[in-house]
Each structure stands twice: as C-alpha cells, then as structure tokens.
Amino acid sequence: MLSLFFGLTLVFVTTGVATAEPSRENITHTSDQNYTLAYKKSVEQDKPLMVVIGAPYCPACQVLKQTTIADMSRSGELDNVSLAVVDRDAEPELAKQLMADEKMIPQIIVYSKSSDGHWKRRRLMGYQPVQPVRSLLQKVRDLGRG
C-alpha cells in the first residue's frame, strides 16, 4: 500500500539547466522504434521531444498514459511535441540514459532546443495530471524555439 502511495504521489522536478542532448543510439526494438521515430521527427520538424518512461506493472504509469497523455493528445495539446513512450523494463539501457540514473517512474522528460541551439532537459516525476504537463510545455515554448 505504501509503495502505491509513493507511486501516485505528485512530484514535480524540472531540470532546466541541463544541456544533455537526447540519446541518438541506433535502436532496433519495438518501443525503441517509437523513440527513434519521435527523435527524428523532433529534429526534422524542430519540435521538442517528450518522452514518457514507465512500466506495464506500474499503476501510476498506466493512469498517466490513459488519462493525462491521452486527454492532452485528444485535445491537440501535444501536437507541437514529438512524443515517445519507453518501457523501462523492455529497454533498460535507453531508459537509464534518458532517466539519468533516477529510478522513479513514471517520468516525463522534455528535451527542447533553446534559442542559442543548446538542448535543454526538463523533467516531471511521478503521476502528473494535465496542468503540470501543460505548464512544463508552456515553459518550453516560452524559453526557446519549442
């Protein structure tokens, strides 16, 4: 019960000072195809890259995808980002690179280019309703070309 509580606890973390570029590894697995295509679309269309990292056994991850992400996608709020969903257990190396050794899931990581061309990394951890995700995406739009 306690682990479920912690899994559903709202945690808001942004790391706007990081300049790490999203991973460009040559990826071959199914969930990686999603990441690879989203990364290419992000670069080609000059859009922020939003990565949702979770696992099938994680209730908070499933609720995040089925409510927040699905609702924002339906409303068009994710039209200006390139979205990838990564299963931490199916793609542990990719997830580890993206999560920067932070093990808590779910995570929403947004990579965007600032006006000076450097990649910025911002992150939300734990289950998030629509408003914190909306605020993060607005911050990305306000601070750069994203």
Side-chain angles (χ1 to χ4, degrees):
M1 185 68 172
L2 188 58
S3 65
L4 179 59
F5 172 76
F6 284 117
L8 294 175
T9 300
L10 295 178
V11 179
F12 181 84
V13 177
T14 60
T15 54
V17 296
T19 58
E21 187 169 341
S23 177
R24 287 188 249 177
E25 283 189 359
N26 185 16
I27 299 165
T28 58
H29 301 293
T30 304
S31 65
D32 283 331
Q33 288 289 24
N34 184 16
Y35 176 82
T36 300
L37 294 174
Y39 175 80
K40 286 180 182 178
K41 181 179 173 185
S42 172
V43 172
E44 290 170 1
Q45 297 180 6
D46 197 27
K47 290 182 174 184
L49 173 62
M50 183 168 125
V51 184
V52 178
I53 303 173
Y57 61 83
C58 166
C61 302
Q62 300 311 310
V63 173
L64 174 71
K65 289 189 291 185
Q66 294 167 5
T67 59
T68 304
I69 301 302
D71 291 348
M72 292 182 77
S73 184
R74 272 192 300 276
S75 71
E77 292 179 88
L78 300 181
D79 290 350
N80 292 322
V81 299
S82 185
L83 177 65
V85 178
V86 174
D87 179 339
R88 180 179 74 177
D89 292 342
E91 300 300 333
E93 289 303 313
L94 175 61
K96 183 178 178 180
Q97 286 180 352
L98 295 170
M99 294 169 64
D101 294 325
E102 173 59 57
K103 296 183 189 321
M104 182 179 184
I105 55 173
Q107 285 191 34
I108 299 172
I109 302 170
V110 178
Y111 294 95
S112 63
K113 282 190 177 179
S114 62
S115 56
D116 64 3
H118 291 94
W119 285 96
K120 300 284 185 183
R121 179 178 183 273
R122 294 170 181 86
R123 167 173 59 188
L124 298 172
M125 294 177 21
Y127 169 77
Q128 301 293 322
V130 169
Q131 190 55 49
V133 179
R134 184 180 290 144
S135 295
L136 176 62
L137 294 177
Q138 184 62 49
K139 183 183 227 181
V140 166
R141 281 190 294 275
D142 290 347
L143 294 177
R145 298 182 314 192

